[in-house]
Amino acid sequence: MNPTNEQANPSHDSMSRTTICEITNNVSTPTSMDSMDKKSPESHPTFDMEHAPVKNDPRSWSRLRKNLCLAQIASASMIAGLAANIQNPAVEEMERDLPATSSEFSLSISLFILLQGLVPLLWSSISEIKGRKFVYLISLGLFTVGSVVVAVSKNIGLVIGFRCMQAIGSSAVMAIGAATLADIFEPAERGTKMGIYYIAPLLGPALGPIFGGVLTTGLGWRSIFWFLTILSGTIFACFVIFFKDTFRKERSMTYQNVLKTRVRSRAMKSPQPSRPETPNKELEDSHVDSDVEKEGGIQDVQQEISDIKISLKDINPIKPIGVILRRKNNFVILFASGFLFAYGFLLAYTTARTLSSKYGYSPLKIGLVTLSYGIGCVAGSLLGGRWSDRELARLKAANGGESYPEMRLRSTKLTIFLLPLFVVGFGWVCVERVHVSAVCVFLFFGGFFSIWTYASTLAYIIDANNGRSSTAAALNSAFRGFFAFVATEIAVPLQDGLGEGWMYTIWAVLMLSSGLLIILVASKGRKWRETAEKREAEQAKKFATQ
């Protein structure tokens, strides 16, 4: 039966009553606790927050409007990838002009990566309070200002400081982009839309060195940051004019949990008139909701809810992070994911230095060569994701139609052993100054196998943390940011002290270790995860009875 427009777009009062009724039905007051405990499961219909009625439902928007939102979010997410790598072809020119040492320049890159990984935890919380559009505008504004200041900087101190501002601004889209698409698209179509969305962040590292090389060769290194200023300013204007906020508090678990906490607190503190027990269960049940309304229930609760102002103190991201890290399977796979991501950033940076010093390449040529790494990453993401889904489906069918998250990791059993071979091979190819075509081949397969493996670990982190997927993704971002920060900090000392051959040999050992961690989770992860889930359920049950 197709709903009418009135049903599909209920008034604000009806939506408030729907949400309030769901909240008050879960409030245990002293007068109704016993009767509520006696109710059968059928008397408490499951509340589907995913499809709670809202005004101007983003999922009822036209296809054109939805795809326009997708294009805006994807274009904004590309900035994060561009900003991280676009300056690599201009390393030597920036060091001469500012002036700056190699260590100072690597610090600017490593701090950028670190902040881009850690700050998403904050942006995600803010978006649950102020909405998605507010976060997009503030973050893009910060990135634009940071780009302007870097473009006019006369010393490395300003560059480092405002590159950090760029990192803070560019990290927001990576934090809430997927959440925004979930606001707009139904689950059945999210897979395709997410696939389109995730191509953009990978195109950034692929195209960044090309843009950086062309701009540096033609106009100097400062033109790179003027280009980022124009790009981010244009996207900012598009968000101001065209983007409509997709956040709806009725569908926010964070918002609803705060309401429930406040209402329960009010119900327990308010004095309740005693009511004699009645043996008639049906009569007792019928009084529960009416008593709530008589005793200042719905009307007073509505008034209280309208007065609630959620702030950052109502959001505690530390507790779910602790829950995720206490699971052994999560902790191990996050380490493996961190090493894989760190390798990618180190490779892009050290390759630019190698091509400049050993091959004497101009910024444009450096960008063209490192493009092979970006193309490998995009190919690895697209093909690796499809192969991962295919393997999961095959293993599920072989297991009698039952699947579990660890099955997905088996799709990496070949690439985790091939990647170290290409890592060590690339290092010694650079030492011997082999023809640049060989460098391109090793860069391509280094990117291909690393992202193929990384994509499966990221999917596993989401699958293995049902109900906490956004926190798990943000925590993965924090791990990879920290690991990449350390990798870029030690890159120059290792490259200058050991040379490319032994530096990449060490990284090949780290990549092999990372692969062995993935194998460990694939074999032991299910047992660890189910043990942790049982422990958490027992703790929740114990807390509920207190």
Side-chain angles (χ1 to χ4, degrees):
M1 179 176 179
N2 295 328
T4 62
N5 291 337
E6 182 179 354
Q7 290 171 318
N9 296 287
S11 67
H12 182 271
D13 290 341
S14 65
M15 287 186 295
S16 298
R17 184 166 293 272
T18 299
T19 306
I20 292 167
C21 287
E22 188 272 331
I23 293 170
T24 54
N25 282 341
N26 287 282
V27 177
S28 297
T29 65
T31 60
S32 63
M33 186 177 294
D34 294 337
S35 63
M36 290 178 73
D37 289 341
K38 295 176 184 177
K39 286 188 177 184
S40 64
E42 287 79 5
S43 63
H44 284 285
T46 302
F47 184 75
D48 184 11
M49 186 172 292
E50 175 84 6
H51 296 92
V54 295
K55 291 183 69 175
N56 190 21
D57 190 346
R59 294 178 191 167
S60 67
W61 291 350
S62 67
R63 183 175 297 275
L64 176 62
R65 187 172 179 182
K66 288 181 178 181
N67 289 330
L68 178 61
C69 289
L70 172 60
Q72 288 178 272
I73 298 166
S75 61
S77 69
M78 191 185 298
I79 290 179
L82 279 174
N85 294 285
I86 195 171
Q87 84 290 345
N88 284 347
V91 169
E92 289 205 347
E93 184 173 328
M94 291 181 71
E95 289 176 357
R96 288 194 305 268
D97 187 52
L98 286 170
T101 64
S102 295
S103 297
E104 289 173 330
F105 193 83
S106 65
L107 177 64
S108 71
I109 297 175
S110 56
L111 285 176
F112 183 97
I113 299 166
L114 178 66
L115 289 172
Q116 199 176 63
L118 295 178
V119 176
L121 292 170
L122 176 62
W123 285 129
S124 181
S125 297
I126 294 175
S127 73
E128 296 293 328
I129 301 170
K130 298 294 186 180
R132 318 291 191 213
K133 183 172 183 176
F134 176 85
V135 171
Y136 285 133
L137 293 180
I138 295 298
S139 62
L140 287 170
L142 288 174
F143 183 88
T144 303
V145 172
S147 299
V148 171
V149 177
V150 173
V152 299
S153 294
K154 301 295 183 182
N155 59 73
I156 189 62
L158 280 175
V159 170
I160 292 174
F162 284 89
R163 282 284 286 166
C164 289
M165 180 181 284
Q166 282 186 311
I168 293 171
S170 64
S171 66
V173 182
M174 304 304 296
I176 66 172
T180 305
L181 296 184
D183 295 338
I184 300 172
F185 297 104
E186 290 287 353
E189 57 182 335
R190 281 180 200 161
T192 302
K193 302 303 180 182
M194 291 290 184
I196 297 172
Y197 164 68
Y198 279 118
I199 290 175
L202 292 173
L203 283 176
L207 299 177
I210 294 292
F211 288 134
V214 171
L215 291 168
T216 302
T217 301
L219 301 171
W221 70 266
R222 295 180 188 277
S223 63
I224 291 175
F225 297 97
W226 286 120
F227 168 75
L228 291 176
T229 300
I230 296 170
L231 181 62
S232 61
T234 301
I235 295 174
F236 177 88
C238 288
F239 269 87
V240 170
I241 299 170
F242 300 111
F243 189 79
K244 302 298 181 183
D245 203 341
T246 63
F247 176 74
R248 299 294 182 267
K249 62 185 180 182
E250 294 85 359
R251 292 176 178 170
S252 169
M253 181 65 74
T254 300
Y255 185 90
Q256 298 301 326
N257 282 340
V258 172
L259 290 185
K260 290 178 183 179
T261 301
R262 299 282 184 87
V263 174
R264 285 194 184 104
S265 177
R266 171 190 176 277
M268 297 303 294
K269 290 179 180 179
S270 300
Q272 301 290 342
S274 61
R275 177 166 54 88
E277 295 185 2
T278 173
N280 189 327
K281 183 179 182 300
E282 291 183 4
L283 180 61
E284 184 179 280
D285 290 350
S286 67
H287 280 302
V288 174
D289 291 334
S290 62
D291 285 343
V292 171
E293 193 161 349
K294 283 181 184 177
E295 295 160 11
I298 295 295
Q299 286 80 7
D300 290 345
V301 170
Q302 271 187 305
Q303 180 60 42
E304 182 177 343
I305 288 176
S306 65
D307 294 337
I308 290 177
K309 302 296 182 184
I310 300 179
S311 63
L312 281 174
K313 68 181 181 181
D314 294 306
I315 310 250
N316 180 15
I318 304 302
K319 185 176 180 180
I321 288 174
V323 171
I324 291 172
L325 289 179
R326 279 195 294 271
R327 292 187 178 187
K328 199 181 299 184
N329 61 306
N330 287 336
F331 192 75
V332 174
I333 204 69
L334 285 169
F335 258 82
S337 176
F339 277 125
L340 287 166
F341 191 82
Y343 162 73
F345 263 91
L346 174 131
L347 180 65
Y349 176 48
T350 54
T351 299
R353 297 184 79 234
T354 298
L355 293 173
S356 177
S357 61
K358 290 188 177 296
Y359 286 79
Y361 278 10
S362 67
L364 177 58
K365 286 186 176 181
I366 292 173
L368 290 171
V369 172
T370 55
L371 177 63
S372 59
Y373 171 72
I375 295 173
C377 288
V378 172
S381 177
L382 294 175
L383 297 179
R386 288 190 176 187
W387 179 257
S388 177
D389 289 340
R390 181 178 177 180
E391 278 292 282
L392 183 62
R394 183 183 67 81
L395 293 170
K396 179 180 178 180
N399 197 41
E402 180 186 356
S403 67
Y404 49 91
E406 287 73 22
M407 284 182 174
R408 185 180 294 278
L409 295 178
R410 298 183 190 179
S411 65
T412 65
K413 59 187 177 183
L414 181 61
T415 59
I416 57 179
F417 293 108
L418 289 175
L419 176 60
L421 298 178
F422 280 92
V423 174
V424 70
F426 176 75
W428 292 105
V429 161
C430 292
V431 169
E432 298 298 326
R433 294 185 63 181
V434 179
H435 191 271
V436 72
S437 60
V439 174
C440 291
V441 169
F442 277 93
L443 280 174
F444 174 87
F445 282 106
F448 182 85
F449 290 130
S450 64
I451 295 298
W452 179 299
T453 308
Y454 176 78
S456 292
T457 63
L458 179 58
Y460 171 76
I461 291 168
I462 301 300
D463 293 345
N465 292 278
N466 188 26
R468 298 188 182 95
S469 57
S470 61
T471 303
L475 190 57
N476 178 69
S477 178
F479 261 73
R480 75 185 193 183
F482 176 76
F483 276 65
F485 166 77
V486 175
T488 50
E489 273 297 282
I490 65 175
V492 172
L494 283 177
Q495 191 175 23
D496 293 344
L498 300 177
E500 284 83 358
W502 287 111
M503 178 184 72
Y504 282 109
T505 299
I506 292 172
W507 273 98
V509 174
L510 291 175
M511 292 300 97
L512 180 60
S513 301
S514 176
L516 295 177
L517 290 177
I518 294 172
I519 292 176
L520 180 62
V521 175
S523 60
K524 300 288 187 181
R526 184 181 186 184
K527 180 180 178 181
W528 291 342
R529 177 174 49 80
E530 290 177 348
T531 300
E533 289 172 351
K534 182 178 179 181
R535 182 185 67 241
E536 292 162 11
E538 290 174 350
Q539 290 174 347
K541 184 177 180 181
K542 182 179 179 181
F543 178 79
T545 58
Q546 290 179 350

